[in-house]
Amino acid sequence: MTTTTEDVHKLQPAILSYVKDLPNLCSLAGLACTLSAIYFCIIGVYEAAMIGMIWAVAFDWADGLVARRMKGRTGNDRIFGGQLDLVIDIVSYGVTPAILLLSYGQFDPVFLPAAFIVIAASAIRLSYFSTYGLSDQSRYTGLAMDNNNIALVFIFLLEGVIPREIFAVIFYVSAVGLAVLNVSQIKTPKLSGNPRNVFLLAFYTLGITSIYSWKLL
């Protein structure tokens, strides 16, 4: 029995049919947090931006946790979810820190090279991961991108504690340093795959949210 091209197209699900998949809803919730972080970066409300950035990580980890526990997901469901994750990760962990850098640097051109390095490293890192996956069952080659947000929201706690000019240099160097680690050959553990780490991230997310919410008052 021959399957025609028309029959194949009829078998393809609608694009939006994947939105109802719970892990994908978690991914999109993370994207919403990322969008809010970008917005607050641009208008200079950095405390709110930090909250958006760390919740983007929380939802990113949640989608994988939910996906692993769900039954009946097809191969296409997993492929689509993986691709959606990669696209959102570039925005969450590459574009957002780059915009944060530019905004905090008052869009001075000297911050453009660092912003480019951050975005380029995220694109290269995620393309490499899409091609080769994990280096073994539990380790990545290079620092996983979610660690960027986890580290940057912690480093940003120093903002306001030390002079702005000095902190701008520290933040610049930190962002570039993380980008270099993203594309390095170091082996790092897959933190999101460990239930204990998920609990620790939840605690960290609530702590960071509380601190920056207090700063907003």
Side-chain angles (χ1 to χ4, degrees):
M1 181 176 179
T2 304
T3 302
T4 65
T5 302
E6 184 178 349
D7 291 331
V8 171
H9 285 303
K10 285 180 180 178
L11 293 173
Q12 290 181 343
I15 293 174
L16 293 180
S17 67
Y18 287 102
V19 174
K20 65 183 180 182
D21 192 33
L22 186 56
N24 294 338
L25 285 174
C26 287
S27 298
L28 292 172
L31 181 61
C33 293
T34 294
L35 177 61
S36 70
I38 291 172
Y39 171 76
F40 287 117
C41 284
I42 292 172
I43 66 174
V45 184
Y46 300 115
E47 294 83 2
M50 296 302 107
I51 294 172
M53 287 174 66
I54 194 59
W55 275 98
V57 180
F59 279 112
D60 182 24
W61 284 31
D63 68 26
L65 189 64
V66 171
R68 285 190 292 272
R69 292 178 178 272
M70 285 184 65
K71 296 179 180 179
R73 298 184 82 231
T74 67
N76 283 341
D77 289 334
R78 290 189 288 272
I79 292 171
F80 184 94
Q83 292 302 312
L84 182 64
D85 262 355
L86 286 175
V87 174
I88 291 176
D89 284 354
I90 290 177
V91 181
S92 298
Y93 308 135
V95 175
T96 303
I99 292 175
L100 174 61
L101 262 175
L102 292 172
S103 177
Y104 194 78
Q106 299 178 324
F107 297 97
D108 189 311
V110 74
F111 284 82
L112 280 171
F116 173 76
I117 290 171
V118 168
I119 294 176
S122 70
I124 294 168
R125 168 78 179 79
L126 292 171
S127 296
Y128 185 89
F129 174 74
S130 180
T131 303
Y132 295 103
L134 295 171
S135 62
D136 57 38
Q137 289 187 343
S138 61
R139 294 195 301 169
Y140 294 105
T141 298
L143 184 68
M145 298 295 303
D146 49 4
N147 291 290
N148 293 7
N149 281 22
I150 293 172
L152 291 175
V153 299
F154 182 80
I155 294 169
F156 211 85
L157 290 172
L158 296 174
E159 200 277 331
V161 177
I162 58 180
R164 182 184 179 93
E165 295 78 11
I166 296 176
F167 179 73
V169 174
I170 292 173
F171 198 67
Y172 190 110
V173 172
S174 298
V176 172
L178 287 168
V180 171
L181 291 175
N182 292 149
V183 295
S184 69
Q185 288 299 116
I186 63 170
K187 306 299 181 184
T188 59
K190 187 178 186 295
L191 299 177
S192 60
N194 187 319
R196 183 194 64 168
N197 292 333
V198 173
F199 173 79
L200 290 174
L201 177 70
F203 181 78
Y204 181 70
T205 299
L206 292 175
I208 287 292
T209 301
S210 299
I211 292 170
Y212 282 112
S213 295
W214 179 77
K215 286 175 170 284
L216 280 168
L217 298 178

